Amino acid sequence: MSTEQTAIPAENFFNQGGKGIMSWLTTTDHKRIGLLYMYSIAIFFSVAVIIGLMMRLELIAPGKTIMEANTYNKMFTLHGVIMIFLFIIPGIPAVFGNFFLPLFLGADDVAFPRLNLMSWYLYIIGALIALSTLVFGEGSADTGWTFYAPYSVKTGTNVSTSVFAAFVLGFSSILTGLNFLTTIHRMRAPGMGWFDMPLYLWSTYATSWIQILATPIIGITLLMIVAERVLGVGLFDPSLGGDPILYQHLFWIYSHPAVYIMILPAMGVISEIIPVFSRRRIFGYKAIAFSSLAIAFVGYLVWGHHMFTSGMSGPARIIFSILTFLVAIPSAIKVFNWLATLNKGSIDLQPPLLYSMGFIFLFLIGGLTGLVNGALATNTHIHDTAFIVGHFHYVMFGGTGFGFFAAMHYWFPKMYGRMYNIKRAKIAFWVTFIGFNTLYFPMFILGLQGMPRRYYDYLPEFQDWQVVSTVGSWILVTGLIMMFTNIIRGARKGKPAGDNPWNGYTMEWQTTSPPPLENFHEKPVYKEISYDK
Amino acid sequence: MFSNASSFVEGVDFAFFVIIGISLIFLIGITAAMIYFVIKYNKKKHPKAVPTKDNFQLEIIWTVIPTLLVLGMFYYGWVGYRPMRIIPDNAIPVKVTAKMWSWSFEYENGKWDSLLIVPVDKPVKLELFSPDVLHSLYIPAFRIKEDVVPGIANIMWFEANKTGTYNILCAEYCGQRHSYMLSKVKVLPQDEYEKWYNSKDTLAEKMMPGEIIMKKQACIACHSTDGSKLVGPSFKGLYGSKRTVLVDGVKKEIVADDEYIKNSILNPNSEVVDGFPQGIMTNYSGQISEDEIKQFIQYIKTLKND
C-alpha cells in the first residue's frame, strides 16, 4: 500500500491520557469510549451467537434434542433482546460513530464528552440488568423480544426486569443521538458545509433524529408493561380492561423506525467504502444524502405492516401497505448509486469492499423479500413464519452485521495503527458469507411451506431444510471465529499500517494512526476533496 | 405455495409470482453488474478511474421505474387480498376458541370438535375467540391467517375447493406449548359433511360428562391424563393423593380433595404444586359452572394410578 511505515507513532490515544483500567473507565475521549463500546458489544454479540447456535441445534430434529420448550422460549427472547438492544442498535453508531464522527468533522471530541461516557455506563447497566434475569427472579423472560401483551402481562417469568433493562438502554441510545446531532450541527471544521459532509455523517444525522424522537415511545410503553404487571393497571390485558392491539401499535411506532436506526449507519459505511476502493467520487451524493432523510421520515409511517393479521381495519391495512412499498424506493436509489460508483472505477477488491459487496447482495435479498411482506395477499401467508425470520436476519445481520464487519475492516488500521492479515480476512469473508446463506436462506422456503416462527418443535415435513439451516450455523460460526481471531491478532501483532493505507479521502485519514489524543496535530481546515490521487 | 386448497390460493400465489419474479430480475441483474464491474474495472486492467459525473436523468429513471414497479406489486397484493375481507352472507359460521394451547370449533347446532370439519366448495366463516392471550389461526394450504385477540372479535373466512386434510397451526407466540397448538381442517364432500353434521356425537356418548368438559376447556393442553408431565401436573392418580404446594412462597402439604381441585380451577395460582410454574394457568371462574366442576371431579376420580 502507499506509505510503508515501520513503527507506530508514540503520540497516540493509547499512550496519551493514562494507562491502566481506571484511565479507560473514566475517559471522556470519544475514541476510547468507541473502543469500550466495541469490546462490550463484542462480548454480548458472542453470547447471543452462542444462544443462536444452541437454538439451531435444538431445531435439527423434531422433538426434544438438547433443551426443553421453556428453555428454548427463554433463549429466543434473550437472543433477540441482546442482538437488538445490545448489538444492532448501538453497534455502528456507538463504536464507529463515536470513534470517527469528530475525526470526520475535524473536531477534537463530541459536543458532550461526559454525557458520552454516561451513555456507555447506561449501556452497561442496562446490559447487566438484562443478563441478571438469568440468575435472579423467576427466570428470564419467555415472551420474545417484542414483549407482546397480554402474554407478557400473564407469564410468570421475569418480564419486568427485562423490559426495565430495555428502558435503561433506551436512554443510552437517546443520549448518544443527542450528542451526535449537536456535534454535527456545531462542530464541523471551518469550511465544511452540510453538503461537504461525508455521507456516513448524513446517515448518522438521520439516525440520531430517529433515536431522539422514537426511543421515548418504547421507553414509556415498556414501563406501562411494568405498571400492568406490578400494579395491575389495565392497559393492555383485556381481562383488566386493556387493549392488546394498543400495545402492538405503541411497540411498533418505535420498533419500526428502530429498524432504520439499525440499517442507516451501515448504509453510511458502505457509502464511504465504495468510493475509496473504486477511486472515484460517489455517484449521486445528494440523492444518497436525501434518501437517508427520506428513509428516516417515511420509516415513521409504516409500523402497521407488523400488524396486518391483527384484525386492523381494511383501509388501515391498505394505507400501511402502500407506505411500506414507498419506503423501499430510497433504499433502491442507494443501491443504484453504489453500483454506478463501481462502474468505470479502478477497483481494488480489499476486504472492506468485499464485505460491502456482501452487504449489497444480502441487503438486496433482505429488502426484496421485504416486498413480499409488504403486499397484503402475500403477507397474510408468510406473516409470523420462518420467512419473516429469514427476512430480518438478511436485513439486520446480512445488512447491518456485514456493514459492521466492513466498517471494522475499513477503519481498523486507523484505530490501531496496524493491519490485519488481508488474505485471512478474505477467506473469513467467504466462509461467513456461505455460512450465512446456508443458515438463513432455507428459512424462506420453510416459511413459504407454512412453518410458523418461534416454534420449539415442528412437524416432520419441515425437517430437511431445518437440517440445512443448522449446518449453515456451524459454517457461519467458523467464519466468525476466523474473522475475529484475525482482527484480534492484527490489533496485537499486525504490521504498522501507516496513516492512510487505503488512500482514503475523508479527514480521519489525514491524521496519524492511531490518532493522537486531540485527534489532529493542528486544527484542520476543510478542503475540497481531490479524487485524482 | 406447496399445497393449495382454497379459493384464495390463485390470487395470493399470483402476487407471490409477480413480486418474487420482479425481485429475482433485480437481484440477478444487480449482482451480475456488480461482479462484472469488479472484474472489468479491476485496478490491474483499469488503473485510472473515470471521474464521476452526476447524471440527473439516470437518477430520475431509477427512481420512477422502481416506484411504478412497487405500486404494481402493491396492486396485486391488494387484489389477492381483497376477497379475504368480503365475507359471503351464506357462509357457515363456526365459533373458534383458541386457548393455551389448543383449538376448538363449535357449530351452529352446538356440535363441537377439536378438528375443523367443513364441506367442500362452501364458504365457511370463522369467528375467533380467545380467553387468554394472542393466538393466530393459520392454514397454509388455504393461504389464510388471522390473529385471535382476546377481547376483540376477529373474523376470517374461506372456501375450500379440494377435499382432504390440512394443517392448522398457531402462528402467534403464546407461551410454552405454542409449537404444539396444532389441529387439522378436514374438507369433506357435501354429503359426508351433512352426515357428520347431523350425526349424534358418537364419541360424546362414550365419554363421561367430565371428560367432555376437560376437552372443551382445553385442560388437557397442559394436564395429561396418562401420567406424563406437561406444563402442569398430570390428572392421573391426582385425586386423594398428597401434594406439596406453595402458598405465597411457603411450602404446605395438602391432600388433593374436592375442595382443592375446585379451588385450583377457580383460583389457580393460590396453591401451585411445588416444581411447577407460577401464574401461568388461566382463571376459569365464570367459564365453568358448579355442576360442571362436580362432573369434572367425578372424571378425575376415575384416573387412578395403575
Side-chain angles (χ1 to χ4, degrees), chain A residues 142 154 280-281 284 309-310 317-318 321 329 337 343-347 377 380-381 383-384 454-455 457 461, chain B residues 41 43 46-47 50 52 54 59 67 74 77-78 81 138 145 147 154 167 170-173 178-180 279:
Chain A
D142 65 341
K154 289 182 194 266
R280 67 202 293 256
R281 187 166 60 84
T309 64
S310 70
R317 296 189 208 209
I318 291 168
S321 175
I329 294 164
N337 279 298
N343 183 21
K344 300 196 180 125
S346 173
I347 296 168
T380 307
H381 182 57
H383 196 96
D384 268 322
R454 294 175 171 171
Y455 261 34
D457 199 355
E461 62 242 44
Chain B
Y41 300 115
K43 69 169 184 179
H46 198 249
V50 179
T52 309
D54 279 338
E59 301 265 7
T67 306
F74 160 77
W78 178 61
Y81 170 77
Y138 180 29
K145 182 184 291 128
D147 291 1
N154 281 349
N167 289 326
C170 177
E172 183 65 64
Y173 176 70
H178 168 51
S179 63
Y180 297 100

Side-chain angles (χ1 to χ4, degrees), chain A residues 217-239:
Chain A
I217 304 175
I218 190 76
I220 201 69
T221 307
L222 294 177
L223 282 195
M224 285 159 89
I225 291 266
V226 178
E228 186 149 16
R229 284 180 67 88
V230 178
L231 308 172
V233 185
L235 297 165
F236 306 128
D237 183 354
S239 62

Side-chain angles (χ1 to χ4, degrees), chain A residues 209-470:
Chain A
W209 273 115
I210 315 176
Q211 282 177 304
I212 292 178
L213 294 177
T215 316
I217 304 175
I218 190 76
I220 201 69
T221 307
L222 294 177
L223 282 195
M224 285 159 89
I225 291 266
V226 178
E228 186 149 16
R229 284 180 67 88
V230 178
L231 308 172
V233 185
L235 297 165
F236 306 128
D237 183 354
S239 62
L240 299 169
D243 179 359
I245 301 297
L246 174 67
Y247 176 80
Q248 296 182 21
H249 279 294
L250 289 173
F251 181 83
W252 290 113
I253 284 174
Y254 162 76
S255 296
H256 198 81
V259 170
Y260 300 108
I261 295 182
M262 303 173 205
I263 194 71
L264 276 171
M267 292 171 157
V269 168
I270 306 305
S271 302
E272 291 306 316
I273 291 176
I274 287 184
V276 171
F277 293 92
S278 9
R279 310 304 314 148
R280 67 202 293 256
R281 187 166 60 84
I282 190 94
F283 189 96
Y285 172 96
K286 282 197 178 165
I288 296 183
F290 283 123
S291 65
S292 290
L293 298 180
I295 290 176
F297 177 70
V298 184
Y300 267 101
L301 309 172
V302 301
W303 79 86
H305 67 219
H306 295 271
M307 303 163 58
F308 278 158
T309 64
S310 70
M312 245 188 336
S313 74
R317 296 189 208 209
I318 291 168
I319 291 163
F320 278 122
S321 175
I322 284 204
L323 288 168
T324 301
F325 276 109
L326 292 184
V327 84
I329 294 164
S331 304
I333 291 173
K334 279 180 199 278
V335 172
F336 292 129
N337 279 298
W338 293 327
L339 206 60
T341 310
L342 285 171
N343 183 21
K344 300 196 180 125
S346 173
I347 296 168
D348 188 7
L349 196 58
Q350 294 292 347
L353 184 63
L354 204 50
Y355 277 101
S356 301
M357 290 173 64
F359 168 96
I360 294 177
F361 178 79
L362 301 174
F363 177 73
L364 265 176
I365 297 183
L368 293 167
T369 50
L371 300 172
V372 177
N373 307 344
L376 290 170
T378 47
N379 179 288
T380 307
H381 182 57
I382 49 81
H383 196 96
D384 268 322
T385 65
F387 190 94
I388 301 292
V389 182
H391 159 73
F392 70 70
H393 279 92
Y394 266 88
V395 177
M396 297 286 90
F397 189 3
T400 311
F402 273 66
F404 187 93
F405 301 150
M408 191 165 75
H409 286 86
Y410 178 54
W411 281 312
F412 179 86
K414 178 54 64 185
M415 298 167 97
Y416 290 93
R418 297 177 186 278
M419 188 59 91
Y420 47 82
N421 183 314
I422 301 267
K423 199 172 158 195
R424 278 199 201 128
K426 289 183 181 174
I427 297 170
F429 165 80
W430 283 110
V431 178
T432 310
F433 181 79
I434 292 166
F436 181 95
N437 286 296
T438 320
L439 167 54
Y440 296 112
F441 199 82
M443 293 187 181
F444 291 129
I445 301 164
L446 285 167
L448 288 172
Q449 287 173 334
M451 163 85 204
R453 66 190 283 205
R454 294 175 171 171
Y455 261 34
Y456 159 76
D457 199 355
Y458 52 84
L459 299 166
E461 62 242 44
F462 296 120
Q463 195 185 355
D464 293 351
W465 289 109
Q466 294 279 13
V467 172
V468 174
S469 180
T470 301

